[in-house]
Amino acid sequence: FPNKDKLIEAVYRKVYLDRWNSDWDVLLKNRELPVRTRFETFYNAYTDTIFEPEWLRIYYFASLRDAQINRWYNHVVEELILKRLVRELRVEQGREDDAQVSLEELEPVWLMHGGIMQYGVRKYISGFKVLEDKSAVIALALDMLFSTKR
């Protein structure tokens, strides 16, 4: 690589972007299914992809090193997953989905997403005793989020 920035970009592409499955976009947009079903199915597939010790370590190491790679990925997560979830919740509740997503709407969704991520860290990196049924944990996280939505 000609410089450090090009190396970081290559790692970002390989570790993060190349793992994004375009079928997830189709699933998340499929309004024939309830939003809860779509996101539960998505998170089960997404975590099958990212819950690997190497992926999780790179993610957290990049955060600690203040690497641009982490900011890039969090932007992708926010745009492709979290803001989409907020908008799809709006539609399911009969509200307009084209308004800008507010921080008040986004923060609970980040907390849910972060909780799922932390489960992966506790299970696959830290070796904490956790519920073995990942699907049940994802369902619990979504239960908490959906119980707070108005």
Side-chain angles (χ1 to χ4, degrees):
F1 296 95
N3 58 47
K4 182 180 172 184
D5 288 338
K6 294 296 181 191
L7 172 62
I8 289 172
E9 288 174 23
V11 168
Y12 173 69
R13 190 172 304 104
K14 177 79 172 155
V15 173
Y16 297 105
L17 296 183
D18 289 353
R19 291 183 187 220
W20 185 262
N21 184 334
S22 60
D23 291 342
W24 297 338
D25 290 315
V26 174
L27 168 68
L28 295 174
K29 292 176 184 176
N30 181 0
R31 291 186 176 161
E32 292 180 15
L33 297 171
V35 67
R36 167 62 189 256
T37 302
R38 287 183 269 158
F39 279 84
E40 191 165 351
T41 303
F42 164 75
Y43 270 106
N44 276 290
Y46 178 66
T47 55
D48 284 347
T49 300
I50 66 166
F51 278 3
E52 297 176 357
E54 297 80 18
W55 190 98
L56 292 165
R57 282 190 170 104
I58 290 170
Y59 179 82
Y60 280 97
F61 181 74
S63 294
L64 294 172
R65 296 281 303 183
D66 194 30
Q68 184 67 30
I69 191 170
N70 195 267
R71 281 189 287 280
W72 290 337
Y73 188 67
N74 282 332
H75 177 74
V76 168
V77 166
E78 190 170 281
E79 293 301 320
L80 295 183
I81 303 170
L82 306 181
K83 285 183 178 179
R84 184 176 283 164
L85 175 53
V86 170
R87 288 185 181 107
E88 293 302 315
L89 281 167
R90 288 175 180 168
V91 168
E92 195 162 277
Q93 296 165 352
R95 300 179 347 196
E96 294 293 321
D97 70 336
D98 58 354
Q100 183 175 352
V101 175
S102 71
L103 292 176
E104 289 78 15
E105 292 173 298
L106 199 53
E107 201 61 44
V109 181
W110 264 117
L111 290 168
M112 180 273 308
H113 180 86
I116 292 171
M117 294 295 293
Q118 189 60 14
Y119 167 81
V121 169
R122 288 182 297 123
K123 181 173 182 174
Y124 297 103
I125 295 177
S126 303
F128 276 80
K129 186 173 182 169
V130 297
L131 291 176
E132 285 301 316
D133 186 351
K134 178 185 64 128
S135 295
V137 171
I138 290 168
L140 285 169
L142 288 166
D143 285 347
M144 289 188 296
L145 176 69
F146 278 67
S147 71
T148 63
K149 290 293 165 196
R150 298 173 215 109

